[in-house]
Amino acid sequence: MADQGMLESFQASYQRMEQALQRLVDSIAAYNPLPAASDELLAADDELGNHLETLVRHQNNVRRLEQLRRQAEDNDTRARSTLQQIADLRKDISTIPSTSASSDRATTVDEILSYARFISPTTVPPTFRKQDVQLKPIKTEPADTHMANGVATPPGGAQEEDNARDVKAEEVGAKTLRPEQAAWLDPLAGLPFEPWPSVDKIQAGALGEIQKMVEAGRDPASVLSPAEQAEADKRRAEEEERERLEELEREKRRASMFDIQRRRTAVDESDVFDPDA
């Protein structure tokens, strides 16, 4: 509707301009120029210029509307994608089984101790330091063999001894191991369990230093770090050096004043009138 009205306005402006121009041309051709025709032509030209400006503004608005429409479509697409992702996440979250406070059960001390006893054989204390145990080599004596046709064969009673050894192997336990072998198999045997550092280690560390400061009546928070202490020492040394230079300057000034005073005294004594001279 608006485009149709604008088109009609343009057509009317063009027709008015054509009529005014034709009237002016006819008057000039008849050697009787009419000022009213020229004024009407100027008015028609102004009206046509206004309509052209309106057309340019209308085209700019149309392009702006198209750009906004594309942005709106992009925003709608992004919003739909975001909502779809939120719905998918909500669906995934709803599939996670929820836990309620009623499902919590109290753990007794006996159960904790039982679990600790269960994992203790395979748990190494944090203070454990593995000790290398040198095992003594086991000397093995070769069994008596007989050579028959170039092949070594065991003696007659060797087979019976092997069978007896296999039977007794089931009865062999940790009691038959030597101390070196037992220490190698179980390096934690006989070691004390220390869940925290010893007193000597604590006293040799930072906590021991803090305790010494507290006992000496010093505030540990007022102690400077190595970098801060070095900076403070540097400032103190610079201050002492500046004071030393100032003291030397004062001594030089004092000595120079004393020398000048001594010279003046000598000059005054030489100017005293001596009647015997």
Side-chain angles (χ1 to χ4, degrees):
M1 184 65 67
D3 295 340
Q4 185 67 26
M6 186 176 295
L7 179 60
E8 293 177 357
S9 299
F10 270 108
Q11 290 178 353
S13 299
Y14 278 117
Q15 290 177 1
R16 180 183 176 185
M17 187 172 183
E18 288 178 357
Q19 292 175 1
L21 181 60
Q22 186 64 34
R23 188 178 299 108
L24 180 61
V25 171
D26 293 342
S27 63
I28 293 173
Y31 299 100
N32 187 18
L34 297 176
S38 61
D39 294 339
E40 185 178 358
L41 179 61
L42 292 175
D45 183 69
D46 293 339
E47 183 180 1
L48 182 60
N50 294 332
H51 287 163
L52 290 175
E53 292 178 358
T54 304
L55 177 62
V56 172
R57 186 165 57 252
H58 177 71
Q59 291 177 350
N60 292 333
N61 292 334
V62 169
R63 285 193 293 269
R64 178 61 177 168
L65 289 174
E66 292 177 354
Q67 181 181 2
L68 293 176
R69 189 176 294 108
R70 288 193 298 269
Q71 291 181 358
E73 292 177 356
D74 295 340
N75 293 334
D76 292 340
T77 304
R78 192 179 299 108
R80 284 194 295 269
S81 176
T82 303
L83 292 175
Q84 184 64 34
Q85 292 178 0
I86 293 174
D88 295 339
L89 290 176
R90 184 177 181 277
K91 187 183 300 182
D92 295 339
I93 292 174
S94 62
T95 57
I96 299 175
S98 60
T99 58
S100 59
S102 59
S103 61
D104 297 338
R105 63 183 183 86
T107 304
T108 61
V109 177
D110 296 336
E111 187 175 358
I112 295 176
L113 293 177
S114 176
Y115 180 74
R117 192 181 303 109
F118 173 73
I119 65 174
S120 60
T122 57
T123 303
V124 178
T127 57
F128 169 70
R129 297 294 181 270
K130 187 175 181 180
Q131 300 176 357
D132 296 332
V133 179
Q134 299 293 336
L135 299 180
K136 296 181 180 180
I138 301 175
K139 297 181 180 180
T140 58
E141 297 180 357
D144 296 336
T145 57
H146 299 281
M147 299 296 294
N149 297 327
V151 179
T153 58
Q159 187 67 28
E160 289 78 2
E161 293 178 0
D162 292 339
N163 295 334
R165 190 180 299 110
D166 294 338
V167 173
K168 294 180 179 180
E170 299 178 357
E171 301 177 358
V172 175
K175 296 181 180 180
T176 61
L177 298 176
R178 292 195 298 272
E180 296 83 359
Q181 295 175 344
W184 182 78
L185 293 175
D186 190 7
L188 304 181
L191 293 180
F193 177 74
E194 297 180 1
W196 46 75
S198 61
V199 178
D200 297 336
K201 291 184 179 180
I202 294 177
Q203 292 179 352
L207 293 177
E209 295 295 332
I210 294 175
Q211 182 64 28
K212 292 178 182 178
M213 294 178 188
V214 173
E215 293 176 355
R218 298 171 56 191
D219 185 9
S222 63
V223 178
L224 301 178
S225 63
E228 295 174 346
Q229 186 65 36
E231 185 68 21
D233 295 340
K234 182 179 179 181
R235 289 197 300 268
R236 189 182 303 107
E238 293 176 354
E239 185 69 22
E240 292 177 355
E241 182 66 18
R242 185 170 59 255
E243 292 178 357
R244 187 180 66 82
L245 294 177
E246 291 177 356
E247 184 65 24
L248 290 176
E249 186 66 24
R250 286 194 295 269
E251 291 292 339
K252 290 181 180 179
R253 193 180 301 110
R254 192 179 300 110
S256 62
M257 292 177 63
F258 179 76
D259 189 19
I260 293 173
Q261 185 67 26
R262 185 172 57 80
R263 290 179 181 178
R264 288 179 179 177
T265 304
V267 171
D268 293 341
E269 290 178 355
S270 62
D271 292 341
V272 176
F273 175 73
D274 188 2
D276 297 333

